[in-house]
Amino acid sequence: GANNRLFYIQNNALHELKPDRQPVGKSDSEKSFTTQDIPFVRGTLFYLFTDGIIDQFGGDNIKKYTVSKFRTLLDGLKSENLTVQNQEISKVLLVWKGNNEQTDDVTVLGVRI
């Protein structure tokens, strides 16, 4: 990943692959991305997301949502179907954001293999 981590659910456990801290495009210090292997297990659910969700300001103290909160949310939703997960993630973000402006684009993609 280029500055964005990957979460995935495999065998009912949430896993996380940390990103390489470098851009996809041209950079002054170009280096190869780390290759990470994930064993194939039917039913694995992958979450790809933009930083808009974790950078969204809100809550009682107008702080960022954070990757930690998002990880906890996904872990709590892992046994739900994707439709329910979509509804809950949208609801949680809306409540978190409150009356604050949306900071950035927000995309969360869940893919089950």
Side-chain angles (χ1 to χ4, degrees):
N3 293 318
N4 282 325
R5 59 195 73 221
L6 172 74
F7 289 119
Y8 65 100
I9 306 283
Q10 194 173 73
N11 298 323
N12 206 34
L14 179 68
H15 303 273
E16 176 180 351
L17 292 182
K18 303 251 173 149
D20 288 320
R21 296 281 176 201
Q22 62 184 7
V24 173
K26 185 160 175 46
S27 169
D28 291 336
S29 59
E30 292 185 32
K31 55 185 176 181
S32 298
F33 283 95
T34 305
T35 299
Q36 301 184 54
D37 295 319
I38 301 170
F40 177 81
V41 175
R42 189 172 307 281
T44 299
L45 176 56
F46 294 92
Y47 296 98
L48 304 168
F49 55 96
T50 60
D51 60 354
I53 190 162
I54 59 177
D55 288 344
Q56 179 59 52
F57 287 96
D60 294 337
N61 298 317
I62 318 298
K63 300 279 187 182
K64 288 185 177 184
Y65 188 66
T66 72
V67 73
S68 175
K69 286 182 182 68
F70 188 53
R71 181 186 310 110
T72 300
L73 175 62
L74 293 178
D75 196 37
L77 293 172
K78 66 185 174 196
S79 62
E80 302 291 343
N81 68 49
L82 290 176
T83 301
V84 171
Q85 289 186 30
N86 178 42
Q87 292 167 347
E88 287 300 309
I89 291 168
S90 297
K91 184 171 77 174
V92 165
L93 181 62
L94 190 62
V95 169
W96 177 262
K97 185 175 79 163
N99 293 326
N100 298 298
E101 280 189 42
Q102 185 168 318
T103 308
D104 199 355
D105 65 294
V106 175
T107 302
V108 178
L109 176 66
V111 178
R112 188 179 313 274
I113 59 168

